[in-house]
Amino acid sequence: MRICSIITSFTSGGAEMLVRDLAERFAATGHDATVIALSDAAQIGNDRETEAAMMAHIREAGGQALSLGLANRNAWIGGARALRGMARAMNPDVIHCHTARALPIVALARPRVPVVLTHHNSRLSFPPAAFHLFNRIADGYVAISEQCETMLRAHSRKPVQLIWNAANPRFRASEPRQPVAHDPMILAVGTVSEQKDYPTLIRAARLLAAALAPQGRRPRICIAGGGPMLGELQALVEASGAGSHVELLGARGDVDMLMRRADLFVNSSLWEGFPISLIEAASSGLPMVATRVAGNREMVVPGMNGELVPPGDAQALASAMAAILSDDASHARLSAGALESAGRFSIERCATAHLALYGRLRGNRSGHRAYGRLSIDRECA
């Protein structure tokens, strides 16, 4: 099968990591995998080194990594021209959009193959009325969590399939963690954005340091993630005096190694879809402290593999981290629970589910779909 996946850009976000890993798995099982970005990293303020590394990874695995090079991701006509030319060369059997921005571009390019949309969040980034358009373009939707499934079913008029996110096999640990380090490392992973609410984590860092100080311990919270707001977050760290407890690592390609060094994983998000970073942490045997929001609640089971706290509550976040880091027996139990819970989120299972969906949609779809009023100039054809 020839599979074309479309993302916003080659960056270190969870959706992009999943698409990269799926492309690698598709290629390993004999399928042609192409990943197309709407924009180059530099055009939208993302890290060029991360982009180069991701594209190289896909190509080394046997897939293709391309970009439409859109300075404006809403440039539908120009995007359709570029996509139409690429589609002629790759002749895909299915097009899977991992960003809703790609759907109008795909529609104008007029493919004669099934189109799938995954919305990688429990919140909509567009008005619900947009589904009137999306339902005319997409043959099916993929939900990455139960909350996402509920949301999509409320708006879509096409089949919705729940396919859980997955982590790359390189994160898998063979056994639970050793006792917590005297000066523990706490890791957070994700693009620096409003959604991740790192300011609350920075406030919690000082509270955590105060809680562990009587034990003579100095915790260090490391945040791995890039994005246009990274400079603003660095300024906040410096202004709040949290620099001795918080380190901003920027976009990283060695998150698996960082997780091996860490003692605890933390997620401070205000909302989520289903964070791949939590699956990676669980696969690494890391106990987790996360906010009690959709997506996180489906991965973190209090007392089994981590703890959940209210979003935006720095004191609760610090207290939960301090409790786990101060109790080796609890830490070991949660580490074992994390490994157990990670078992059902394998990339092999995720890829198999996607391939089965593509096969069904290809079987159900016959002929060329008309997009009504959506059309493209002849010079684009």
Side-chain angles (χ1 to χ4, degrees), residues 13-362:
E16 292 78 14
M17 292 292 103
L18 177 67
V19 172
R20 182 202 65 183
D21 292 342
L22 283 173
E24 179 181 11
R25 186 63 187 170
F26 292 155
T29 51
H31 302 278
D32 291 339
T34 300
V35 181
I36 299 176
L38 296 182
S39 302
D40 297 337
Q43 292 174 310
I44 56 175
N46 286 333
D47 185 70
R48 292 185 180 185
E49 291 185 5
T50 300
E51 175 185 58
M54 286 188 66
M55 297 179 81
H57 184 98
I58 293 169
R59 289 164 181 161
E60 289 167 4
Q64 293 190 79
L66 308 168
S67 174
L68 299 183
L70 302 180
N72 180 354
R73 288 169 289 178
N74 295 321
W76 295 355
I77 298 298
R81 288 195 183 102
L83 179 60
R84 198 172 179 92
M86 291 179 182
R88 286 197 188 101
M90 73 182 74
N91 191 25
D93 293 307
V94 62
I95 295 177
H96 192 153
C97 300
H98 290 267
T99 169
R101 292 178 183 272
L103 280 183
I105 293 173
V106 170
L108 290 171
R110 293 193 280 188
R112 291 175 171 81
V113 299
V115 176
V116 181
L117 173 65
T118 297
H119 180 64
H120 290 267
N121 219 311
S122 59
R123 287 190 179 185
L124 294 178
S125 55
F126 43 82
F131 277 96
H132 293 303
L133 172 64
F134 296 168
N135 289 327
R136 297 168 62 193
I137 303 171
D139 292 87
Y141 298 87
V142 170
I144 62 170
S145 71
E146 292 176 354
Q147 178 66 26
C148 291
E149 182 182 23
T150 299
M151 179 189 67
L152 287 173
R153 290 193 185 281
H155 299 290
S156 68
R157 298 296 177 265
K158 297 293 176 64
V160 177
Q161 179 167 343
L162 172 60
I163 302 179
W164 299 102
N165 276 346
N168 191 289
R170 73 176 186 275
F171 285 89
R172 292 175 187 163
S174 58
E175 57 187 17
R177 294 303 177 104
Q178 297 299 313
V180 183
H182 183 268
D183 294 330
M185 172 184 169
I186 301 95
L187 180 66
V189 176
T191 302
V192 179
S193 65
E194 177 188 359
Q195 173 184 342
K196 298 301 181 182
D197 192 20
Y198 288 133
T200 292
L201 180 56
I202 291 170
R203 292 196 299 274
R206 300 185 68 181
L207 298 171
L208 175 62
L212 296 186
Q215 304 173 26
R217 306 170 71 191
R218 294 177 57 85
R220 180 167 60 104
I221 294 179
C222 296
I223 299 175
M229 296 178 66
L230 182 59
E232 181 179 334
L233 188 65
Q234 183 64 60
L236 177 61
V237 170
E238 295 170 0
S240 65
S244 59
H245 310 303
V246 177
E247 182 178 358
L248 303 186
L249 305 178
R252 297 290 291 256
D254 61 344
V255 172
D256 56 326
M257 298 302 295
L258 292 173
M259 287 192 176
R260 289 189 181 95
R261 289 162 43 198
D263 297 286
L264 181 67
F265 188 84
V266 62
N267 174 298
S268 56
S269 294
L270 296 174
W271 69 90
E272 281 288 0
F274 193 85
I276 289 177
S277 60
L278 283 180
I279 304 174
E280 293 169 344
S283 297
S284 301
L286 271 180
M288 299 166 285
V289 173
T291 47
R292 192 179 294 111
V293 298
N296 290 355
R297 295 193 303 264
E298 296 174 47
M299 183 68 204
V300 180
V301 181
M304 185 267 193
N305 59 14
E307 296 296 339
L308 292 170
V309 300
D313 189 333
Q315 182 60 67
L317 193 61
S319 296
M321 289 189 287
I324 295 173
L325 294 170
S326 300
D327 186 340
D328 282 345
S330 174
H331 184 271
R333 184 183 69 254
L334 296 176
S335 176
L339 286 177
E340 180 181 349
S341 63
R344 63 192 182 106
F345 300 106
S346 71
I347 193 65
E348 295 85 358
R349 182 179 297 183
C350 184
T352 297
H354 277 86
L355 291 170
L357 171 63
Y358 301 156
R360 288 196 300 273
L361 291 178
R362 288 181 67 200

